[in-house]
Amino acid sequence: VKNIQDQSNGILFTEYHQAIPCSASDLMIAIGANLKGYSIPNTPISLFFPSGKESLVSLMEEVIVKCFEFNKWFLNFSFPFKSLKIIFIKDYYISGEPATISSNTITFSTALLYQANIVEQQFLTKALVSFMFARLFFGSFVFPKTFNDNWLILGIAHYISRNFQRLLFGNNDYKLQLV
């Protein structure tokens, strides 16, 4: 990352370098004020979030690490990028979805964060987090030739996600979700 100040009009340009080649549709740039962040020790994961959400993000940290490790174990390969950025943005929705992925970034809405005493939201949020991780991991190696080929990535991502949820929530929830 390199910042360049244009002296003629005072505009600040930021230049980025992408070390691993990827398509333009996989690039993600998040710009925002008052974003805090930290790296999770012993993982390539960095979390970014608005100020004041530290306690809520810390509740998500454990499930994020478990999900990351589960995908590595289940698919039997390592994460294909040097780092993984997880960004929580206030009121973030694209096409009605509270989460999106790019090559090495997962972006979530802060509406998915929950207090420790709210039980119901945990199921929904952890299910979405596990699906996005599975989609990112598996989608890094399988590229759809046409839009109609997305069923393969989404179907296998749901399968991987359901297996992770089975680990978290047990067999009863797993069987309920199959119906």
Side-chain angles (χ1 to χ4, degrees):
V1 177
K2 182 170 60 171
N3 290 324
I4 303 165
Q5 181 78 37
D6 186 349
Q7 300 300 329
S8 62
N9 57 12
I11 295 176
L12 177 68
F13 294 96
T14 303
E15 187 177 290
Y16 297 93
H17 174 71
Q18 176 75 14
I20 299 172
C22 67
S23 66
S25 63
D26 283 337
L27 294 176
M28 168 69 92
I29 297 175
I31 301 170
N34 299 324
L35 283 179
K36 291 186 172 185
Y38 65 90
S39 295
I40 299 175
N42 303 319
T43 69
I45 303 170
S46 297
L47 300 172
F48 298 92
F49 48 88
S51 297
K53 301 287 185 185
E54 294 85 355
S55 62
L56 300 177
V57 171
S58 67
L59 291 172
M60 291 292 296
E61 185 177 323
E62 180 183 357
V63 74
I64 286 170
V65 171
K66 280 183 180 178
C67 193
F68 182 80
E69 294 300 325
F70 177 83
N71 278 280
K72 282 183 5 184
W73 171 80
F74 192 83
L75 294 170
N76 199 21
F77 56 74
S78 61
F79 186 64
F81 301 101
K82 278 180 147 179
S83 66
L84 172 62
K85 311 282 190 280
I86 298 178
I87 305 168
F88 292 91
I89 298 176
K90 185 177 181 190
D91 301 327
Y92 179 80
Y93 291 93
I94 293 184
S95 302
E97 297 294 323
T100 58
I101 62 169
S102 65
S103 61
N104 67 341
T105 306
I106 304 175
T107 308
F108 293 106
S109 170
T110 55
L112 294 171
L113 298 173
Y114 53 85
Q115 300 284 341
N117 60 350
I118 299 176
V119 177
E120 296 85 6
Q121 183 66 34
Q122 293 182 29
F123 288 97
L124 300 172
T125 297
K126 290 176 181 179
L128 181 63
V129 167
S130 68
F131 175 69
M132 296 308 281
F133 264 93
R135 202 171 133 199
L136 177 68
F137 264 79
F138 189 73
S140 296
F141 295 101
V142 176
F143 302 101
K145 194 171 187 178
T146 67
F147 182 76
N148 293 333
D149 297 334
N150 277 330
W151 70 268
L152 179 64
I153 295 170
L154 297 177
I156 293 177
H158 274 291
Y159 173 73
I160 296 166
S161 173
R162 294 280 185 237
N163 277 287
F164 178 69
Q165 291 171 47
R166 184 182 200 175
L167 180 76
L168 281 181
F169 307 133
N171 284 332
N172 288 340
D173 183 69
Y174 177 74
K175 289 178 182 178
L176 175 69
Q177 297 299 327
L178 289 177
V179 176

